[in-house]
Amino acid sequence: MYVTIPSEVTPQKSTNPITDKTAQVCETNLKTGAYLFYEGDPVEWLYQVKSGVLRLTRLLENGRRQVIAFGYPGDIVGFPANGLHHTDCDALSGARLQPYRRATLEKGDGDPALHQALLQAALREISAMQDHFMMLGRKSAIEKVASFLCVLAERVGQNAAGETRIELPMSRADIADFLGLTTETVSRTLTQLRKSRIIEIDNIHTIVICRQTALLGLSLGDRD
Amino acid sequence: MYVTIPSEVTPQKSTNPITDKTAQVCETNLKTGAYLFYEGDPVEWLYQVKSGVLRLTRLLENGRRQVIAFGYPGDIVGFPANGLHHTDCDALSGARLQPYRRATLEKGDGDPALHQALLQAALREISAMQDHFMMLGRKSAIEKVASFLCVLAERVGQNAAGETRIELPMSRADIADFLGLTTETVSRTLTQLRKSRIIEIDNIHTIVICRQTALLGLSLGDRD
DNA sequence: CGGGTTCTTGACTATCTTCAACGAAAGTGG
DNA sequence: CCACTTTCGTTGAAGATAGTCAAGAACCCG
């Protein structure tokens, strides 16, 4: 999942239900904290997240880290580049995964429809990443955090009584490394949103969005 | 072209010579400043840059701009997402382009080898963009500018007498919007590199790298 | 319950942006 | 071809935003 520019125009549910016709053989399970693959591993499988949340990360030699993406249900992870994985991937919460052979993407072996679907997923990935460029390069801390919450709300928010509740299985450090901030700034920004009565912090990993419109405004750069 | 983390390990020349066997019919020419496509246009063709430099940009409603990538010879631009272009694309200098039908990428019509090549290009694109995330999210101004110059030097630098000369067909504003900085910061950073005798600014659009190793060090975050 | 981690908050600092001015380069029209 | 205009690049000063360092609070896990 990338943080795209949230908009009222709900984009096509990215929970693209890849050919359910395909026999759902071998589903894979991944426990919290377990790694699915590491940077540099040869790619054998791609995975569609069925449940749970994955984390894709990359390390810079000096210890700096970038969270490349979070893998939410519907997302496909593990696209190869020159046959290799180029991120680490582990589970933030226990996950069920549907594996697809790398050859299905690259050669179209056997299942042309699935080949199609995986290819389209890769192309959508490119577009989503471009959105994230805007985020990293051109948004302020509050815009980043507001965008992040908006996108999560749209994708996995639970609506109730005009409020949207979202679970954050990742740490503040993960959010920071995803948005190009520090944990302190993420924390302060959330506090600021809480004090403006735009969100409530139910517990560290549960946030309630009280004023979605205000949050959307902030994410787009309207002055407070 | 994305600014990846430069390294001594020369990555496989990304000037991937897509099947020269393919009859090089209809090459397209694009004059300086002319647009190849706009965001939202339906995609009919992908293009491989043969010569010249393209600029891919995206606009945020409030006028903020992100340069998504520069298209250098060897690069392929125009990958569709849901059939549409998601950036504007124009030429920074007169360019020759080899067009490929969108269907060749998406359906493999006619030429399976070409389908393969385009698919692999898309996958490499994903990886390159992930590198750029590190850049935008986790690097300081000087690291960004140094990385940018290093990558350009490696890809299109002209070596002579231990010095590398690079042409910058783009404006300072373009560089800034690519790196997530302001024009002033780019300008100041270049001046700083010049005063440290790491580069010379021959003229506004020509830079000579005098101390490549020092520049590489800066790009990786070594303290001056 | 206790120890370690994660999160929050504060004070201070650095980096980068903003605003402004000026010079250089490039485009335009006589 | 030259004067004029406009754009682009550089530089300075001031300010804002986010980072760093440090301490305490909340949370988690055995």
Side-chain angles (χ1 to χ4, degrees), chain B residues 23-135:
Chain B
Q24 299 286 38
V25 276
C26 58
E27 241 189 33
T28 298
N29 285 294
L30 197 65
K31 290 198 191 119
T32 303
Y35 275 82
L36 187 58
F37 51 77
Y38 292 90
E39 184 172 356
D41 286 354
V43 176
E44 287 184 54
W45 304 89
L46 312 184
Y47 302 89
Q48 182 169 45
V49 181
K50 291 297 180 182
S51 70
V53 183
L54 303 183
R55 174 177 65 180
L56 292 102
T57 52
R58 242 182 188 188
L59 289 173
L60 219 67
E61 50 292 332
N62 27 6
R64 280 180 288 187
R65 190 182 72 143
Q66 178 79 37
V67 171
I68 300 295
F70 296 109
Y72 270 86
D75 291 335
I76 292 182
V77 304
F79 292 109
N82 302 307
L84 303 179
H85 283 296
H86 36 288
T87 65
D88 296 335
C89 177
D90 64 344
L92 289 171
S93 62
R96 280 185 305 117
L97 306 169
Q98 171 66 48
Y100 300 107
R101 297 196 168 282
R102 176 182 159 199
T104 309
L105 167 67
E106 293 192 333
K107 305 204 185 75
D109 279 9
D111 191 335
L114 196 50
H115 171 69
Q116 254 313 296
L118 291 174
L119 171 56
Q120 290 302 326
L123 293 174
R124 258 181 284 108
E125 177 94 352
I126 290 175
S127 175
M129 291 177 81
Q130 293 185 351
D131 284 328
H132 198 57
F133 279 172
M134 298 293 282
M135 180 86 161

Side-chain angles (χ1 to χ4, degrees), chain A residues 2 5 12 58-62 64-68 79-83 86-87 105-107 115-116 119-120 122-127 129-134 136-140 143 176-178 180-182 220-221, chain B residues 2 5 12 58-62 64-68 79-83 86-87 105-107 115-116 119-120 122-127 129-134 136-140 143 176-178 180-182 220-221:
Chain A
Y2 293 97
I5 299 143
Q12 67 294 332
R58 239 180 190 189
L59 288 173
L60 218 65
E61 50 293 331
N62 27 7
R64 282 179 288 187
R65 190 182 71 143
Q66 178 78 37
V67 171
I68 300 295
F79 291 110
N82 302 305
H86 35 289
T87 64
L105 167 67
E106 293 192 334
K107 304 205 185 74
H115 171 70
Q116 254 311 299
L119 172 57
Q120 290 303 325
L123 293 174
R124 258 182 285 109
E125 176 94 350
I126 290 175
S127 175
M129 291 178 83
Q130 293 186 350
D131 284 328
H132 197 58
F133 279 173
M134 298 294 284
L136 289 171
R138 284 283 169 250
K139 289 199 174 191
S140 67
E143 289 170 326
D177 286 342
F178 182 61
L181 300 169
T182 58
L220 296 173
Chain B
Y2 294 98
I5 301 145
Q12 65 296 331
R58 242 182 188 188
L59 289 173
L60 219 67
E61 50 292 332
N62 27 6
R64 280 180 288 187
R65 190 182 72 143
Q66 178 79 37
V67 171
I68 300 295
F79 292 109
N82 302 307
H86 36 288
T87 65
L105 167 67
E106 293 192 333
K107 305 204 185 75
H115 171 69
Q116 254 313 296
L119 171 56
Q120 290 302 326
L123 293 174
R124 258 181 284 108
E125 177 94 352
I126 290 175
S127 175
M129 291 177 81
Q130 293 185 351
D131 284 328
H132 198 57
F133 279 172
M134 298 293 282
L136 289 171
R138 284 283 170 249
K139 291 199 173 193
S140 67
E143 289 170 327
D177 287 342
F178 182 61
L181 299 169
T182 58
L220 297 173

